[in-house]
Amino acid sequence: LRTRASAAAPPETSRRALLGLTEPELRQLAVDLGQQQSYRGKQLHDLVYKNRAKQVEEFAYVPKVFREALVGAGWNVGRSPVHHAVTATDGTTKILLKLEDNRLVETVGIPVDDRGTPRLTACVSSQVGCPLRCSFCATGKGGFARNLKGHEIVEQVLAIEESFKHRVTNVVFMGMGEPMLNLKAVLEAHQCLNKELKIGQRMMTISTVGVPNTISKLASHKLQSTLAVSLHAPNQRLRETIVPSAKAYPLEALMDDCKNYFLETGRRVSFEYTLLAGINDEKAHAEELAALLHACGGGYHVNLIPYNPVEGSEYKRPYRKAIQAFVDALESRKITVSVRQTRGLDANAACGQLRNEFQKNPLLESSPPSEPNQLLESSTPSEPSLVPA
């Protein structure tokens, strides 16, 4: 607790956020700042997580001297303003948040009517950009700036809830960045979302393209969340051309780690596979993929993602006939498969594209927010839904 919520004033460059702290931590912080009443920490908790206050100055029923002590010790709520938002004709909304260092990060809200039950999925980013530079991914083309802090991940979910005026039911760590390269902050955010925002662990999915020695670390936490591994190829040679980082993490080692993850956690691993026309979408690829999964045991699921075109990329989206043939080849070999539903964000659809349009470098302090909630017509290829199957 003392390392997360000690009261000593930090340098201006390391301002600390109340968002992400637990109620016991907030109670201790209140005591550290001279508040004798035990309920002050509970008030902070309610203001941050229930009232959704965005600034300490908005803490209306907290004594002024306490508010001043919080600010003086370098504490803020940890909420960032919306810089830009676009909403597609189906309701899917992509939001750019402007962080305190003027970097932009994307988050996506995806509404679904699940057999009459409304569901809202938040697709959250874990990094500003991504250093892995997968060849088909818009995020990597925009470069990498830094890891996100835990509260900067949590606040994306709050921004989605405020945009939709609806509770988020599912969270997928499938936005900008590689979650396993920022595992500490991802786990902090996961715990906060579960304990403070009451989103069930089984309603969350953590995605990875594969980083050596991290899947075993994740398994040791025994989370009840789904691990989604971005495979994109059925063999090492092809995978290296699509996912450059695969050179440091052979497919055989990755699959062994996935098998061990299932054995240690009892949770099924889902495999993401982006279909690229003429590259990895042939029937022979599907047959090889099925053999790879059967060799690692049973219980696996493949989520096929028809490629969403990115400006400047040589890749193309497969035709429906090719997609269906791939599905049929997997299902005939007893592999559970789904095709990610195409929907949402009719322009700048791929992950990272909207951020790339608005930012290559940190924004100037005077950069104004764009007009939010611009409605876009669905006249161009749209984004695959990020709702886990």
Side-chain angles (χ1 to χ4, degrees), residues 32-45:
D32 289 346
L33 291 174
Q35 297 298 305
Q36 301 304 314
Q37 300 92 336
S38 61
Y39 59 80
R40 292 299 182 203
K42 174 66 163 58
Q43 286 181 326
L44 290 182
H45 189 272

Side-chain angles (χ1 to χ4, degrees), residues 48-77:
V48 171
Y49 295 108
K50 293 182 180 179
N51 298 33
R52 304 290 171 88
K54 295 183 179 180
Q55 297 179 348
V56 173
E57 291 75 14
E58 297 176 13
F59 291 0
Y61 51 82
V62 168
K64 182 180 178 181
V65 65
F66 187 21
R67 297 199 301 269
E68 291 175 345
L70 284 166
V71 174
W75 290 92
N76 63 5
V77 175

Side-chain angles (χ1 to χ4, degrees), residues 267-284:
R267 296 291 296 166
R268 178 180 73 172
V269 177
S270 176
F271 291 99
E272 310 286 304
Y273 193 104
T274 298
L275 288 169
L276 307 168
I279 304 295
N280 65 354
D281 66 336
E282 298 175 6
K283 181 181 177 183

